[in-house]
């Protein structure tokens, strides 16, 4: 940096004092209409504590990091996929004071989140997509903006805030946020701590507004005489139910949407002044790319069991659609669950090779199915693919099974939320143990596996990865998809070619 620029950075530190700051990207393409770069460029926290020389070097390092991210693999792949690789991309920066409160040696906002003025993933008929939605977390908003393998956010429809997307797939406790991102002022770094530890270290935290007591856990603790049990679960129920918070967010999002004349994607924080009053800070706003879904016809009333490939009810996230699937990629749960962790990474890379085939071997509409979480960083929880390896699939299915000793969690769509919205991938979770869910394993075992034909060097993995193209010489039927997000139903079934409808509609 030239001397005059270094002086400007130095003056900036004088302006902020020792308040924590964040350096954010603001590029021409990122904040323009037509492309949403959410998560493609970096933002860097500077805790901004300690000697002035150290604080200045941290700030300069953050600036370098963000400029370097314009040439990252994920940013360049995104631009190539959107046909804007040759467009002029200039990076600007925002340096902001971090919104939050000090609690002992920790600094964080009470609540943070991402808000969308239009909800493209209405998971119930009672939800009005035009009212918008938010993803809420306690602490820094990093867990709402970025994907986190190890935790969950609270997804809230602003038209029906108490209707949870996971209510009919598992308990509220299991899908509550458990890890909090905070700034540690003593260690001068961003860190993650368990909710119970944060509550212990934050005596002024209005706990009852963001969390609820787990009645079942409280009863068990009382019956067993356990006194040192942390009973709180991060639900945000009181905040949503007993304050004007939801109404304020609705007003903020609709006001911004009217000003942009376009749906918006915002980041915000909220800090409590006392037990009832709070301040909402809008920290970022950009256009949000969405495509509204229309209505679709019901599937056939009677589907022969032999023709039914899969059926699921609940945990369906994405635009409703009907269409034809011409390739199934199926990672066999029982086989995958027995693989060493290193081999699971090999399977992930193999999946990427299959989805990115070009020319005559390419498929137009792929249904990708596998056990646990797609895109996890922990192979024991699912298949550790990168999103760039699967971003061309039409449907992503997470199967809640692995082997007899492990029942993996799935992501419920929130894991890849921004990417799923942007690429219009339909997400669904399939629970084979439930009576209203169905997986036709015989179909997958009987159909010819094209893996060795498409990728001869991968033939050794044929037992684990099955690639089925339809129609084929053994099965002349086409594979139809009927997915209704509002009804939370997905049917995938075989149909005679003469009854075939257009390839993919949404």
């Amino acid at each position: 940096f030239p001397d005059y620029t270094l002086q400007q950075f130095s003056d900036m530190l004088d302006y902020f004092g020792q308040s924590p700051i964040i350096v954010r990207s603001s590029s021409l393409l990122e904040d323009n209409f037509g492309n949403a770069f959410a998560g493609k460029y970096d933002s860097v926290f500077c805790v901004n504590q300690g000697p002035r020389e150290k604080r200045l070097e941290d700030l300069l390092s953050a600036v370098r990091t963000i400029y370097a991210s314009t040439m990252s693999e994920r940013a360049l792949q995104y631009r190539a996929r959107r046909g804007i690789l040759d467009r002029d991309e200039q990076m600007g920066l925002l340096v902001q004071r971090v919104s939050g409160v000090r609690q002992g040696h920790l600094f964080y906002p009470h609540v943070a989140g991402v808000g969308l003025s239009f909800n493209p993933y209405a998971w119930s008929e009672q939800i009005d997509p035009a009212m918008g939605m938010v993803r809420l977390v306690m602490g820094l908003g990093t867990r709402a903006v970025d994907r986190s393998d190890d935790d969950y956010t609270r997804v809230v429809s602003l038209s029906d805030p108490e209707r949870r997307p996971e209510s009919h797939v598992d308990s509220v406790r299991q899908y509550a946020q458990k890890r909090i991102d905070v700034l540690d002022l003593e260690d001068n770094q961003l860190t993650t701590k368990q909710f119970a530890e944060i509550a212990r270290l934050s005596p002024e935290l209005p706990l009852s507004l963001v969390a609820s007591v787990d009645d079942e856990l409280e009863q068990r603790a009382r019956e067993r005489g356990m006194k040192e049990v942390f009973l709180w679960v991060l639900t945000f129920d009181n905040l949503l139910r007993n304050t004007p918070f939801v109404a304020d967010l609705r007003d903020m999002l609709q006001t911004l949407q009217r000003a942009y004349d376009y749906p918006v994607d915002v980041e915000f924080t909220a800090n409590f002044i006392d037990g009832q009053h709070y301040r909402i800070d809008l920290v970022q706003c950009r256009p949000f790319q969405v495509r509204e879904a229309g209505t679709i016809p019901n599937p056939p009333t009677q589907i022969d069991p032999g023709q039914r490939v899969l059926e699921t009810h609940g945990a369906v996230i994405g635009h409703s659609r009907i269409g034809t699937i011409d390739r199934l990629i199926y990672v066999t749960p029982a086989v995958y669950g027995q693989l060493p962790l290193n081999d699971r990474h090999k399977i992930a890379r193999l999946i990427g090779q299959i989805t990115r085939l070009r020319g005559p071997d390419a498929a137009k509409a792929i249904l990708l199915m596998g056990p646990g979480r797609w895109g996890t960083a922990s192979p024991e929880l699912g298949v550790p693919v990168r999103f760039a390896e699967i971003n061309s699939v039409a449907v992503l299915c997470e199967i809640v099974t692995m082997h007899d000793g492990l029942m993996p969690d799935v992501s419920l769509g929130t894991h890849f939320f921004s990417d799923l919205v942007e690429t219009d991938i339909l997400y669904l979770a399939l629970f084979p143990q439930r009576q209203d869910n169905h997986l036709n394993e015989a179909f997958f075992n009987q159909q010819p596996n094209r893996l060795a034909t498409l990728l001869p060097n991968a033939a050794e993995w044929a037992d684990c990865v099955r690639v089925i193209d339809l129609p084929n010489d053994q099965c002349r039927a086409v594979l139809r998809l009927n997915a209704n997000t509002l009804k939370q139903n997905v049917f995938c079934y075989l149909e005679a070619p003469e009854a075939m409808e257009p390839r993919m509609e949404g």
Side-chain angles (χ1 to χ4, degrees):
F1 298 100
D3 290 341
Y4 67 86
T5 302
L6 288 174
Q7 183 60 49
Q8 288 178 314
F9 282 130
S10 180
D11 292 343
M12 191 179 299
L13 285 183
D14 290 338
Y15 172 79
F16 285 116
Q18 292 200 33
S19 296
I21 56 178
I22 181 171
V23 185
R24 311 174 68 107
S25 64
S26 181
S27 80
L28 287 179
L29 295 178
E30 178 182 18
D31 291 333
N32 200 357
F33 289 85
N35 299 288
F37 274 75
K40 302 301 183 290
Y41 294 146
D42 291 332
S43 295
V44 181
F45 285 99
C46 296
V47 186
N48 200 25
Q49 305 296 299
R52 182 186 181 84
E53 294 77 14
K54 176 66 165 62
R55 293 190 288 120
L56 180 59
E57 183 50 46
D58 287 346
L59 175 59
L60 297 179
S61 176
V63 172
R64 295 186 190 103
T65 298
I66 292 174
Y67 275 111
S69 70
T70 61
M71 301 302 292
S72 68
E73 179 184 4
R74 62 183 178 182
L76 293 176
Q77 284 186 342
Y78 176 83
R79 290 175 60 187
R81 192 167 69 247
R82 305 285 292 192
I84 54 175
L85 196 55
D86 60 343
R87 296 269 294 277
D88 182 30
E89 174 67 316
Q90 298 184 34
M91 177 60 74
L93 298 180
L94 297 172
V95 182
Q96 297 175 313
R97 195 186 308 270
V98 177
S99 170
V101 293
R102 181 166 184 160
Q103 298 276 358
H105 64 90
L106 303 180
F107 187 92
Y108 59 91
H110 292 129
V111 178
V114 171
L116 307 174
S117 64
F118 176 83
N119 182 1
Y121 288 168
W123 56 86
S124 165
E125 293 176 324
Q126 279 71 43
I127 290 175
D128 179 3
M131 301 293 281
M133 65 160 293
V134 296
R135 295 177 66 199
L136 287 181
V137 296
M138 180 182 165
L140 298 171
T142 43
R143 291 186 170 265
V145 176
D146 302 325
R147 296 190 301 272
S148 277
D149 283 2
D150 58 354
D151 215 355
Y152 299 93
T153 62
R154 174 72 193 267
V155 180
V156 181
S157 161
L158 294 181
S159 71
D160 195 351
E162 295 187 50
R163 185 176 300 278
R164 304 177 65 109
E166 68 273 25
S167 59
H168 41 110
V169 293
D170 217 315
S171 67
V172 169
R173 182 194 314 120
Q174 180 178 356
Y175 294 111
Q177 180 190 1
K178 300 174 181 66
R179 297 170 178 84
I180 317 295
D181 288 347
V182 300
L183 299 179
D184 190 315
L185 301 177
E186 289 183 352
D187 293 340
N188 203 32
Q189 66 179 4
L190 170 67
T191 188
T192 300
K193 295 184 180 294
Q194 294 287 332
F195 175 40
E197 183 180 3
I198 293 293
R200 179 176 58 81
L201 295 173
S202 306
E204 298 178 9
L205 175 70
L207 196 59
S208 62
L209 275 174
V210 295
S212 306
V213 172
D214 186 329
D215 295 332
E216 182 181 333
L217 183 60
E218 183 180 35
Q219 181 178 347
R220 286 207 307 266
R222 187 167 55 248
E223 291 171 351
R224 298 173 185 177
M226 301 165 62
K227 296 182 179 179
E228 302 298 323
V229 179
F230 187 72
L231 302 174
W232 295 89
V233 178
L234 269 175
T235 62
F236 303 98
D237 284 347
N238 285 333
L239 175 65
L240 299 173
R241 185 183 300 142
N242 299 322
T243 74
F245 187 68
V246 170
D248 289 341
L249 288 178
R250 273 200 304 254
D251 290 345
M252 181 179 75
L253 288 169
Q254 295 309 311
T255 299
L256 290 166
Q257 178 170 290
R258 285 193 300 270
Y260 273 65
D261 194 23
Y262 205 85
V264 294
D265 168 357
V266 308
E267 296 174 30
F268 65 90
T269 64
N271 295 290
F272 296 102
I273 301 168
D274 54 37
Q276 281 294 319
H277 300 90
Y278 51 82
R279 177 191 178 103
I280 296 176
D281 287 319
L282 176 67
V283 297
Q284 180 163 290
C285 180
R286 58 162 65 107
F288 175 55
Q289 308 305 314
V290 296
R291 179 175 62 81
E292 297 188 26
T295 58
I296 66 169
N298 292 324
T301 53
Q302 296 293 330
I303 301 176
D304 184 272
Q307 305 299 105
R308 183 178 54 175
V309 175
L310 70 87
E311 176 181 344
T312 182
H313 300 267
V316 183
I317 302 180
H319 297 295
S320 299
R321 67 198 71 193
I322 58 173
T324 302
I325 300 294
D326 56 358
R327 175 167 292 168
L328 280 160
I329 304 175
Y330 178 68
V331 179
T332 308
V335 178
Y336 183 82
Q338 300 298 325
L339 292 179
L341 295 186
N342 188 53
D343 285 350
R344 298 188 185 192
H345 285 283
K346 293 179 182 178
I347 294 297
R349 304 292 81 77
L350 175 59
I351 296 296
Q353 293 180 56
I354 301 169
T355 62
R356 290 184 286 190
L357 288 169
R358 296 295 178 261
D361 292 331
K364 294 182 179 179
I366 299 174
L367 168 54
L368 179 58
M369 306 175 64
R373 294 185 174 195
W374 285 107
T376 180
S378 305
E380 64 273 14
L381 298 178
V383 186
V385 294
R386 296 183 288 266
F387 189 75
E389 293 175 309
I390 62 172
N391 60 15
S392 60
V393 307
V395 186
L396 186 65
C397 175
E398 295 180 336
I399 307 173
V400 188
T401 186
M402 186 79 80
H403 54 77
D404 291 342
L406 176 63
M407 187 73 71
D409 285 336
V410 291
S411 68
L412 299 173
T414 61
H415 185 51
F416 274 146
F417 185 80
S418 295
D419 293 310
L420 291 173
V421 171
E422 214 168 284
T423 51
D424 197 27
I425 294 175
L426 180 74
Y427 165 89
L428 58 111
L430 193 149
F431 298 79
Q433 71 277 14
R434 290 189 180 171
Q435 291 186 349
D436 62 351
N437 280 225
H438 178 77
L439 179 65
N440 189 344
E441 295 185 33
F443 167 83
F444 293 97
N445 294 330
Q446 294 166 2
Q447 292 298 311
N449 187 353
R450 294 206 65 211
L451 178 62
T453 304
L454 297 171
L455 298 171
N457 293 336
E460 62 178 304
W461 303 111
D463 287 343
C464 184
V465 179
R466 303 192 62 81
V467 182
I468 302 168
D469 287 353
L470 291 166
N472 57 53
D473 293 339
Q474 182 175 316
C475 178
R476 301 306 303 167
V478 296
L479 186 62
R480 299 290 295 151
L481 172 76
N482 184 299
N484 191 318
T485 305
L486 292 178
K487 294 183 179 180
Q488 290 288 281
N489 297 332
V490 174
F491 297 88
C492 204
Y493 55 94
L494 299 171
E495 188 175 75
E498 58 270 16
M500 183 176 163
E501 298 179 38
R503 179 165 292 277
M504 187 64 71
E505 303 167 4

